[in-house]
Amino acid sequence: MKRIVVLLAGLILSLGMVTAQKYAFVDTEYILNNIPDYKAAQEQLDKQSEAWQKEVEAKYSEIEKMYKDYQAERVLLAEDMRKQREEAIINKEKEAKELQKNYFGQDGALFKKRQELIEPIQDEIYDAIKDLATENGYAAIFDTSSGTSMIYTNPRYDISDEVLQKLGYKN
């Protein structure tokens, strides 16, 4: 009986401590969209991506032309010439796929460029959020930008504008 009373008292005290914790949330998408450097970096990434995409599409257009020419001349070509042309088309296709992978693959140039331009901004935001959490005694700060993790949020606890102010931006 004594154990149950002690256990219940401990449970009540721990619940009291949990409810005394402060929580807040931020919208990192909103924060990023209010940072001019982020917009500039995103525009730079978009331009670079578009240029690389055009280059890859040009390679595939070239392959398509080679294939159409091959199809038109195929009946006139000797067996060894047909094989050479087929190999040339296959090699060009491999080159195009490799180029596409180098630009847009998992560890491609676009990924690396995004890390170079965007990651420092995200790190600044994280540091500002961490500082605000420490200064204001928040137990947790949630991100609502994905929208899937929060069912309801009271705007009173949104500290996104405070994060922007901490970073030196006015909104």
Side-chain angles (χ1 to χ4, degrees), residues 56-67 69 92:
V56 169
E57 286 173 2
K59 291 276 187 194
Y60 279 109
S61 293
E62 183 182 341
I63 293 166
E64 191 174 323
K65 184 185 178 323
M66 286 175 69
Y67 183 72
D69 291 347
K92 278 282 191 191

Side-chain angles (χ1 to χ4, degrees), residues 26-35 38 143-146:
V26 295
D27 184 346
T28 53
E29 191 173 318
Y30 167 80
I31 294 169
L32 287 169
N33 288 329
N34 281 285
I35 297 176
Y38 174 77
D143 184 6
T144 61
S145 64
S146 65

Side-chain angles (χ1 to χ4, degrees), residues 69-146:
D69 291 347
Y70 168 72
Q71 288 291 4
E73 300 168 357
R74 182 175 167 187
V75 290
L76 304 173
L77 297 173
E79 182 67 30
D80 61 329
M81 284 299 291
R82 259 190 269 157
K83 286 184 179 181
Q84 283 179 349
R85 298 275 291 272
E86 288 171 359
E87 285 179 23
I89 293 169
I90 290 169
N91 288 336
K92 278 282 191 191
E93 195 170 8
K94 284 179 183 176
E95 286 175 22
K97 285 181 181 181
E98 188 64 30
L99 182 66
Q100 187 173 18
K101 180 181 160 195
N102 288 340
Y103 286 152
F104 302 107
Q106 191 173 21
D107 289 325
L110 184 63
F111 175 79
K112 289 176 183 168
K113 192 73 169 170
R114 185 179 314 266
Q115 276 187 310
E116 173 190 323
L117 295 173
I118 304 292
E119 201 170 291
I121 297 168
Q122 290 174 327
D123 289 345
E124 274 186 73
I125 292 169
Y126 173 77
D127 290 341
I129 291 170
K130 191 171 85 174
D131 289 347
L132 282 171
T134 303
E135 290 168 11
N136 297 314
Y138 292 115
I141 297 178
F142 301 97
D143 184 6
T144 61
S145 64
S146 65

Side-chain angles (χ1 to χ4, degrees), residues 34-37 124 161 163-171:
N34 281 285
I35 297 176
D37 288 346
E124 274 186 73
D161 289 328
V163 172
L164 283 168
Q165 288 173 347
K166 185 93 172 156
L167 291 168
Y169 299 102
K170 293 184 180 183
N171 47 329

Side-chain angles (χ1 to χ4, degrees), residues 37-48:
D37 288 346
Y38 174 77
K39 288 180 182 178
Q42 195 61 47
E43 286 175 13
Q44 186 178 348
L45 283 171
D46 291 344
K47 285 180 185 175
Q48 186 65 63

